[in-house]
């Protein structure tokens, strides 16, 4: 039996209480839905704003039963929610994305193999699960060793150039299952966010060009200033093909590298809205979070329209600790908000820490040049590195 269309007034659940869940909850509430968050942290960003907070762990049977009893459908806000918990929920109500798709995205080796099955190019790689695998993988050096599971924002990754460095890095990573990717000459990074509905309809946000620092997304620009239309179309096509190949329902982000020769390779997928799509809250008529809601509820999907050029910048906890400061100080929000086209989004986290994502800021303007000019002034006021 097909899942029913859920109209405003229905109750939507979210597994996970971070900022992505918070922004989904806000989008759902704007359209008149009730929201429930399952998250163990009593002060989580999403739990604080939802209608109801089920404060249990992601595998807690009683918590999952409570979530299923009060919701009409459930989604997830981060890929490391246990897939078995999603399967348990799916026995009682619609869950999107499905556990099988989330499971692929939870494991880098499974993800790479899925890229290959779907005919989407990726960097040459080898899996390392035992010491005997090290010798066979050495032909990919120099490369980047990544833990197969639980790595994000540059965590669980080590650059290696020699067999000795590879062996030592694997030891430092606790001899965990890993993927070694061949290091390729990169020109730039981009991402594509697609939404796929129950009926197979696929729409996408405008392609994003991204800049990472220390493994964490720092700046996203839309329109992507250095991406040719043909390459953008190829990336969007690849992302759509990946979503269809998993029979995916929900919002999916695919990150790509553009190589020095102009070719495209997929880096990784995220089965949820993505940091690089936050600009859509201010620069598009339909945000990535509304797309997530529409796919979950079975509502019609409409292609988002970009009505403003945009620059999105992550705001890390370092901003609260300028220089050698040991006590947090409030950044110059007054100066920033005096600039035209600036939208500040803070996530309601109770404590600023270096490297922690505390919020983001989007600059919109009539054209990309104007957006960049204002964004560089934001950088000056906040002490952020220019781009």
């Amino acid at each position: 039996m097909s899942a029913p269309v859920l109209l405003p007034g229905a109750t939507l659940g979210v597994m996970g209480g971070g900022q992505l869940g918070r922004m989904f909850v806000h989008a759902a509430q704007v359209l008149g839905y009730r929201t429930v968050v399952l998250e163990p942290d009593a002060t989580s960003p999403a739990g604080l704003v939802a209608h109801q907070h089920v404060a249990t762990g992601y595998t807690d049977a009683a918590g999952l039963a409570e979530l299923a009893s009060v919701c009409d459908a459930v989604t997830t806000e981060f890929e490391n929610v246990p897939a078995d918990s999603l399967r348990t929920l799916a026995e009682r109500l619609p869950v999107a994305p499905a556990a099988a798709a989330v499971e692929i995205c939870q494991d880098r080796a499974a993800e790479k193999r899925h890229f290959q099955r779907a005919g989407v190019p990726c960097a040459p790689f080898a899996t390392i699960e035992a010491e005997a695998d090290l010798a066979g993988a050495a032909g990919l050096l120099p490369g980047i060793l990544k833990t197969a599971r639980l790595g994000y924002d540059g965590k669980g990754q080590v650059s290696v150039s020699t067999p000795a460095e590879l062996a030592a890095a694997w030891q430092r990573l606790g001899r965990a299952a890993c993927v070694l990717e061949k290091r390729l000459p990169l020109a730039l990074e981009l991402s594509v966010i697609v939404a796929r509905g129950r009926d197979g309809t696929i729409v996408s946000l405008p392609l994003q060009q991204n800049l990472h620092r220390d493994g964490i997304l720092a700046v996203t620009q839309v329109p992507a200033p250095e991406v040719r239309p043909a390459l953008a179309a190829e990336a969007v096509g690849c992302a759509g093909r990946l979503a269809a190949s998993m029979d995916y329902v929900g919002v999916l982000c695919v990150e790509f590298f553009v190589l020095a020769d102009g070719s495209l390779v997929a880096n990784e997928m995220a089965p949820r809205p993505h940091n690089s799509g936050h600009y859509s809250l201010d620069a598009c008529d339909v945000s990535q979070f509304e797309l997530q809601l529409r796919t979950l509820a079975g509502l019609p999907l409409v292609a988002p329209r970009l009505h403003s050029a945009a620059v999105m910048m992550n705001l890390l906890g370092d901003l609260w600790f300028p220089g050698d400061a040991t006590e947090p100080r409030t950044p110059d929000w007054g100066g920033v908000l005096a600039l035209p086209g600036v939208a500040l989004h803070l996530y309601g986290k109770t404590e600023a820490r270096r490297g922690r994502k505390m919020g983001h800021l989007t600059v919109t303007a009539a054209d990309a040049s104007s957006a960049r000019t204002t964004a560089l002034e934001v950088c000056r006021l906040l002490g952020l590195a220019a781009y």
Side-chain angles (χ1 to χ4, degrees), residues 209 219-225 279 282-283 306-313 336 339-343 361-381 384-387:
Q209 182 170 324
V219 180
T220 293
Q221 299 178 80
V222 182
Y279 76 93
D282 302 298
L306 184 73
H307 56 68
S308 303
V311 177
M312 189 283 299
M313 292 178 282
V336 166
L339 298 172
V342 170
L361 184 150
T362 303
V363 177
T364 57
D367 57 74
S369 177
S370 299
R372 187 172 191 273
T373 296
T374 302
L376 291 175
E377 179 62 12
V378 169
C379 292
R380 188 189 68 79
L381 287 170
L384 294 168
Y387 64 96

Side-chain angles (χ1 to χ4, degrees), residues 162-345:
T162 67
E165 288 181 1
L166 172 60
W170 187 59
Q171 293 289 339
R172 288 201 305 275
L173 292 174
R175 299 169 65 92
C178 288
V179 170
L180 178 67
E181 297 176 12
K182 184 175 181 62
R183 191 183 303 153
L184 300 174
L186 306 184
L188 57 94
E189 301 170 75
L190 56 87
S191 58
V192 175
I193 293 172
V194 297
R196 186 174 185 270
R198 299 172 184 172
D199 62 356
T201 298
I202 297 178
V203 299
S204 68
L205 286 174
L207 179 140
Q208 298 101 210
Q209 182 170 324
N210 303 320
L211 169 66
H212 286 77
R213 295 190 178 115
D214 299 324
I216 300 176
L217 180 65
V219 180
T220 293
Q221 299 178 80
V222 182
E226 299 174 76
V227 179
R228 297 177 287 105
L231 190 66
E234 180 184 352
V236 171
C238 286
R241 190 156 69 248
L242 286 167
S245 68
M246 295 186 289
D247 197 19
Y248 193 88
V249 176
V251 168
L252 177 74
C253 178
V254 184
E255 294 184 76
F256 294 93
F257 294 134
V258 179
L259 304 184
D261 64 3
S263 60
L264 191 73
V265 295
N267 177 32
E268 61 187 24
M269 299 186 289
R272 51 167 173 77
H274 190 261
N275 198 163
S276 65
H278 290 347
Y279 76 93
S280 63
L281 289 164
D282 302 298
C284 296
D285 57 357
V286 180
S287 76
Q288 63 172 342
F289 301 100
E290 184 175 332
L291 290 175
Q292 184 183 20
L293 182 152
R294 286 175 179 245
T295 57
L296 180 64
L299 297 175
L301 289 181
V302 295
R305 296 179 298 179
L306 184 73
H307 56 68
S308 303
V311 177
M312 189 283 299
M313 292 178 282
N314 263 336
L315 304 174
L316 303 183
D318 306 64
L319 287 179
W320 279 253
F321 298 92
D324 297 325
T326 56
E327 294 296 323
R329 306 173 191 173
T330 301
D332 184 11
W333 302 136
V336 166
L337 291 172
L339 298 172
V342 170
L344 176 64
H345 298 260

